[in-house]
Amino acid sequence: MNHYQHTMTLKASPAAVYAALTTAEGLRAWWTEDCDIATAVGGELAFRFGAHHKEMRIERMVPCNEVQWLCTGAHIEVDSFTRKDEWVGTRIVFHLAQDGDSGTRVRFDHVGLVPAFECYGVCSEGWQHFLSSLEKYVETGHGTPYHSVARAPESTHLQE
């Protein structure tokens, strides 16, 4: 199959990675802060990235081993795209395996996201960013998710 795939080894336990993929706190910390999260098989997930959005149904959850979602709704707001819902019907699968004493090997598959899709380039770049964010989050506690609102700058104190 010629769908989008990525494999990485994270310096975190399978339990920590699984929690990042299955809890509201985890998903908001590495993918997007603007989301609605279910936590059981059959539940619905909604992820928003400004004008873009994705809806998923949880298809499979095997603790510390696998998470699988089916995309049931999508809108990619890129003017040049003739189809803005190419993700619908694709599957997102995270396979987790213990790697050494404290690591996790993650095989990520976006089954159905193929190079023939208009969105393939944009989406593969997006996955590179967000999978790196997942890695940062489980290893340091701080990911780089999509921020739904502009953040206020750090306050500064004027010296007199």
Side-chain angles (χ1 to χ4, degrees):
M1 194 158 223
N2 203 16
H3 60 263
Y4 183 82
Q5 296 180 303
H6 183 76
T7 301
M8 57 191 177
T9 302
L10 309 180
K11 295 175 188 152
S13 70
V17 177
Y18 185 79
L21 301 172
T22 59
T23 65
E25 177 185 353
L27 289 162
R28 289 182 179 128
W30 71 268
W31 202 11
T32 179
E33 294 176 338
D34 189 6
C35 57
D36 300 316
I37 305 301
T39 58
V41 173
E44 301 291 327
L45 308 164
F47 300 101
R48 292 171 292 278
F49 308 83
H52 313 281
H53 63 85
K54 312 287 188 292
E55 288 85 39
M56 309 283 176
R57 182 175 59 239
I58 302 170
E59 296 284 293
R60 185 169 164 86
M61 296 174 70
V62 180
C64 303
N65 187 272
E66 183 179 353
V67 175
Q68 185 177 140
W69 305 325
L70 173 67
C71 183
T72 57
H75 181 81
I76 302 170
E77 185 53 48
V78 174
D79 288 341
S80 63
F81 289 0
T82 57
R83 281 205 54 209
K84 299 184 187 291
D85 65 348
E86 287 182 305
W87 276 37
V88 174
T90 65
R91 290 186 186 279
I92 294 170
V93 184
F94 296 88
H95 299 277
L96 313 178
Q98 184 75 43
D99 188 73
D101 289 338
S102 59
T104 303
R105 186 160 179 80
V106 178
R107 189 182 86 224
F108 173 81
D109 291 287
H110 190 155
V111 180
L113 179 61
V114 295
F117 277 16
E118 283 180 296
C119 73
Y120 187 82
V122 169
C123 293
S124 60
E125 286 178 18
W127 277 127
Q128 289 171 15
H129 169 80
F130 290 116
L131 291 172
S132 175
S133 176
L134 171 63
E135 178 178 18
K136 289 175 194 168
Y137 172 63
V138 299
E139 291 183 358
T140 70
H142 301 286
T144 52
Y146 174 82
H147 298 293
S148 57
V149 295
R151 291 184 174 264
E154 299 267 336
S155 62
T156 57
H157 300 283
L158 297 176
Q159 294 183 2
E160 295 181 29

